[in-house]
Amino acid sequence: GESVGLHLPTLSVQEGDNSIINCAYSNSASDYFIWYKQESGKGPQFIIDIRSNMDKRQGQRVTVLLNKTVKHLSLQIAATQPGDSAVYFCAENPPGYSTLTFGKGTMLLVSP
Amino acid sequence: DSGVTQTPKHLITATGQRVTLRCSPRSGDLSVYWYQQSLDQGLQFLIQYYNGEERAKGNILERFSAQQFPDLHSELNLSSLELGDSALYFCASSVHPTGNTEAFFGQGTRLTVV
């Protein structure tokens, strides 16, 4: 499929490394945050979410950290695999909005 | 498989034409969102419907319109197409209308305007 991230920030890692993808969100009052993974030619796929009353949440091989002081979100992927290669988007739900606002995305490239 | 179905997968049409994109949400989801994704703009929210009613509008052009039918499927109509309308169009669905829960995305429709 055609890539959607030709001009995105890119993180290149080796298989087995831990990856950290960062995101700066825009609205300090946003109370819900979510990470999506988008593989080439496919729709965004849910990875993990976190609400503003938490600063850390763990899933399978993934951890999301929320720093409300500096409006920063990060996604940590443990033992990165070639199948993790994709574009990763963070999104926030600002107060009064019934939708998600997406960041620009980061491309993760995993080398065997 | 997210459970959200979009048709067609690919569409090639000429400038000035009109097309209709279709979305079937996940079973039980009442809220449908439409997004446009282009290389230089990322995922841009267009419009949201909840249980047949328009709930929120984003950066949707006047040439574009949408609706949600009683069976909850939704259609996005794009008219007077321009070259710049070429993009991926995604539909997403969720149970709640509030935006603070997970939304499930379809595989998208790739529109090419020539």
Side-chain angles (χ1 to χ4, degrees):
Chain A
E2 187 177 319
S3 169
V4 295
L6 295 179
H7 303 291
L8 294 173
T10 300
L11 175 65
S12 296
V13 301
Q14 293 286 120
E15 183 177 2
D17 287 352
N18 295 331
S19 302
I20 299 176
I21 300 172
N22 296 305
C23 172
Y25 63 90
S26 60
N27 193 317
S28 59
S30 290
D31 57 5
Y32 177 73
F33 306 88
I34 191 166
W35 280 98
Y36 282 93
K37 170 186 179 183
Q38 186 175 22
E39 296 175 90
S40 185
K42 297 186 177 180
Q45 177 186 1
F46 170 83
I47 302 174
I48 192 167
D49 59 2
I50 188 168
R51 299 194 184 275
S52 59
N53 61 351
M54 302 173 70
D55 52 22
K56 180 179 179 179
R57 190 162 187 229
Q58 288 185 289
Q60 187 176 15
R61 277 202 309 121
V62 294
T63 300
V64 56
L65 298 177
L66 175 62
N67 185 332
K68 295 182 284 294
T69 303
V70 294
K71 295 191 291 183
H72 185 266
L73 200 63
S74 68
L75 176 71
Q76 300 177 359
I77 304 174
T80 314
Q81 302 166 1
D84 295 326
S85 293
V87 177
Y88 289 80
F89 292 96
C90 68
E92 63 183 299
N93 176 227
Y97 283 73
S98 59
T99 65
L100 294 168
T101 301
F102 283 81
K104 293 291 186 186
T106 297
M107 181 174 287
L108 176 65
L109 296 174
V110 183
S111 306
Chain B
D1 182 6
S2 68
V4 178
T5 303
Q6 288 187 249
T7 57
K9 286 189 167 44
H10 301 276
L11 199 48
I12 301 175
T13 191
T15 54
Q17 295 298 304
R18 173 189 168 94
V19 297
T20 297
L21 312 184
R22 183 187 168 102
C23 169
S24 294
R26 283 192 328 154
S27 177
D29 285 357
L30 300 179
S31 191
V32 169
Y33 306 83
W34 285 98
Y35 287 85
Q36 180 191 57
Q37 186 176 44
S38 54
L39 282 173
D40 58 349
Q41 292 293 323
L43 273 160
Q44 298 290 311
F45 168 67
L46 296 177
I47 197 163
Q48 177 199 6
Y49 279 81
Y50 179 73
N51 203 19
E53 300 288 327
E54 182 184 304
R55 176 142 177 115
K57 249 183 178 176
N59 301 319
I60 188 166
L61 300 171
E62 286 192 12
R63 300 184 284 110
F64 295 0
S65 65
Q67 55 184 327
Q68 186 179 29
F69 295 86
D71 67 353
L72 300 176
H73 92 270
S74 178
E75 292 181 356
L76 179 67
N77 301 296
L78 314 176
S79 62
S80 302
L81 284 166
E82 302 174 359
L83 295 177
D85 297 327
S86 295
L88 274 165
Y89 290 84
F90 286 104
C91 167
S93 74
S94 66
V95 174
H96 301 295
T98 51
N100 59 1
T101 57
E102 178 186 353
F104 296 85
F105 282 78
Q107 295 294 294
T109 293
R110 178 171 296 284
L111 174 66
T112 303
V113 183
V114 297

